[in-house]
Amino acid sequence: MGSIPQDNFAVASPKSPLQAPTYGNLITVLSIDGGGIRGIIPGTILAFLESQLQKLDGEEARLADYFDVITGTSTGGLVTAMLTTPDPNNGNRPLFAAKDINDFYLEHCPKIFPQDCTPFAPATNLVKLLTGPKYDGQYLHKIVREKLGETRLHQTLTNVVIPTFDIKQLQPKIFSSYEVKNNPCRNALLSDICIGTSAAPTYLPAHQFETKDSTGKVQEFHLIDGGVAANNPTLIAINEVSKEITRGSPDFFPIKPNDYARFQVLSLGTGSQKCEEKYPAHMAAKWGLLGWLTCEHSTPLIDVFMQASSDMVDFHNATVFKALKSEKSYLRIQDDTLSGTVASVDIATKENLENLVKVGENLLKKPVSRVNLENGKFEPSNQGTNEEALISSSAI
């Protein structure tokens, strides 16, 4: 394959699992934010992108064939694992096609986040907030272990990077296909990694497990939601690649660690509340602990750190790629106009889940937008729609 022009966002040509990057031309990164049930939104985008790639390369084409790195936090980490876990019946193909992601969410989210529809639900939820996580996580653990089985980090079909946070050590823990080569104790079951990165404080319980390397060395992990560290994991993935280049990996020759212009990044958000739906100071000024933990359909404290994490990464990427005059090498698809129940991370009613599918479908039709670094809003960039950008990228 010849080099791809730097003024177009592009998905690389298909390649064998864990093949070196695109012959020294590009390092392709797919990044998926955290956001609970709102993982349906990037699920919809990914299903569309994979369908376009299949038109070019056949029905067996999968996203893992086109991205050198797939990274995801929380619900994005689960999607990452679904896209890259080998199918036991066909080891070089992923367990899930992109079109299967939303079916998984529609079927299982109501059981992961069971809704209390009784008149006493507000009081019950308040008691849960004071005494433990809102959900026990048992169904999530069961279905993730059932689907991902005994697959470990080193077995994924392309490189993955999944951030978590170790609450015992108060440190981020990054589970990376690159790091596992140098630190075998990170070679955990994908199911444990996904349960850990999804353990959002106040919603799901922290997850503890241990690994053992070939010498018998044991490492314990005490994990909560990766969104505490990086709800938008794009920079974590770029950092992992840069570390690998610094180590002298021949896979990346002749790319240099600071050669950001070689990256092609597709970053998918899970939506955020529109400005007028957020929390004004006169409201937040009156909050105590309970106010920060519960406000109608959301948990403000969680919303704040997740949104801040995602936006800071997007601000950085937008600035860096603009400075490199390669703005079109970074495509961020995000909807910042959510309101009401679709902005929640756990209201898993049939109606709300179906509405999230519609949000994703509508987002495809919206114009490609860039974050305005002054006001934080997404503004059209005169590059057509998100759908057109994805079609163009898959056709190059």
Side-chain angles (χ1 to χ4, degrees):
M1 160 178 168
S3 64
I4 295 177
Q6 290 293 318
D7 61 346
N8 288 286
F9 176 79
V11 174
S13 295
K15 51 189 180 355
S16 302
L18 289 180
Q19 177 182 316
T22 318
Y23 305 104
N25 294 318
L26 297 171
I27 302 168
T28 50
V29 179
L30 169 62
S31 177
I32 309 159
D33 284 14
I37 61 171
R38 299 201 311 260
I40 287 176
I41 297 173
T44 304
I45 306 296
L46 293 171
F48 175 79
L49 175 58
E50 191 169 86
S51 72
Q52 296 304 306
L53 295 168
Q54 289 170 344
K55 289 179 181 179
L56 298 172
D57 298 318
E59 287 299 312
E60 289 300 307
R62 296 290 183 267
L63 292 173
D65 299 326
Y66 299 84
F67 288 94
D68 299 307
V69 190
I70 301 181
T71 182
T73 295
S74 193
T75 196
L78 179 57
V79 172
T80 295
M82 293 165 72
L83 294 173
T84 60
T85 295
D87 185 338
N89 300 314
N90 186 0
N92 67 350
R93 294 292 79 198
L95 184 62
F96 286 80
K99 64 181 177 61
D100 300 326
I101 293 170
N102 280 3
D103 290 339
F104 176 91
Y105 276 75
L106 291 168
E107 178 181 355
H108 297 293
C109 280
K111 299 172 187 175
I112 296 170
F113 304 109
Q115 302 298 294
D116 184 349
C117 299
T118 69
F120 306 104
T124 302
N125 289 335
L126 180 58
V127 171
K128 287 182 178 179
L129 277 172
L130 294 173
T131 59
K134 190 174 181 180
Y135 307 101
D136 61 25
Q138 291 182 11
Y139 186 83
L140 173 64
H141 296 196
K142 171 181 173 292
I143 196 64
V144 168
R145 293 200 187 285
E146 177 185 308
K147 296 296 183 182
L148 302 183
E150 296 300 310
T151 304
R152 291 189 176 270
L153 180 59
H154 77 284
Q155 296 173 301
T156 56
L157 293 175
T158 191
N159 297 294
V160 302
V161 177
I162 301 176
T164 67
F165 190 84
D166 193 305
I167 191 68
K168 185 176 182 180
Q169 296 185 354
L170 290 181
Q171 284 187 331
K173 284 288 190 296
I174 310 302
F175 290 88
S176 159
S177 299
Y178 303 112
E179 185 64 26
V180 78
K181 300 173 188 175
N182 303 290
N183 186 354
C185 282
R186 293 290 172 91
N187 194 26
L189 291 169
L190 278 179
S191 58
D192 279 324
I193 297 170
C194 288
I195 292 168
T197 194
S198 301
T202 76
Y203 289 98
L204 291 163
H207 183 54
Q208 178 182 354
F209 64 93
E210 62 181 37
T211 60
K212 185 183 296 185
D213 67 14
S214 59
T215 67
K217 179 183 176 183
V218 173
Q219 183 169 350
E220 285 189 354
F221 298 92
H222 302 257
L223 304 183
I224 61 172
D225 196 324
V228 172
N231 200 52
N232 176 344
T234 307
L235 280 182
I236 300 291
I238 292 174
N239 183 62
E240 287 297 300
V241 172
S242 298
K243 282 163 56 181
E244 188 71 359
I245 297 172
T246 302
R247 291 184 183 119
S249 170
D251 289 346
F252 294 96
F253 181 81
I255 300 172
K256 297 178 181 179
N258 61 350
D259 196 356
Y260 270 44
R262 299 285 187 147
F263 284 92
Q264 292 279 343
V265 178
L266 172 59
S267 176
L268 302 181
T270 56
S272 65
Q273 291 176 299
K274 59 185 179 181
C275 286
E276 59 267 29
E277 292 287 329
K278 296 175 184 176
Y279 312 110
H282 72 267
M283 178 191 296
K286 300 175 183 178
W287 289 342
L289 178 61
L290 290 181
W292 281 101
L293 290 177
T294 178
C295 180
E296 294 187 1
H297 301 305
S298 64
T299 302
L301 190 61
I302 306 299
D303 290 348
V304 167
F305 76 68
M306 289 176 65
Q307 194 62 47
S309 172
S310 293
D311 285 350
M312 287 300 290
V313 171
D314 188 33
F315 293 161
H316 174 87
N317 286 333
T319 301
V320 169
F321 280 91
K322 183 176 182 179
L324 293 171
K325 302 187 184 303
S326 57
E327 288 181 87
K328 294 184 181 179
S329 295
Y330 172 65
L331 177 60
R332 172 74 167 167
I333 299 181
Q334 171 72 313
D335 190 327
D336 64 347
T337 65
L338 302 187
S339 62
T341 56
V342 292
S344 79
V345 298
D346 69 322
I347 300 181
T349 62
K350 183 175 185 291
E351 178 184 13
N352 196 42
L353 295 174
E354 291 175 347
N355 284 338
L356 285 168
V357 175
K358 294 176 184 175
V359 170
E361 293 170 345
N362 291 336
L363 185 54
L364 284 166
K365 306 295 183 183
K366 290 185 177 182
V368 173
S369 298
R370 303 287 183 200
V371 65
N372 183 317
L373 300 180
E374 296 296 324
N375 58 29
K377 294 182 180 180
F378 278 79
E379 299 175 349
S381 58
N382 301 315
Q383 295 174 13
T385 65
N386 292 316
E387 184 176 73
E388 289 169 342
L390 292 171
I391 291 172
S392 175
S393 73
S394 63
I396 292 176

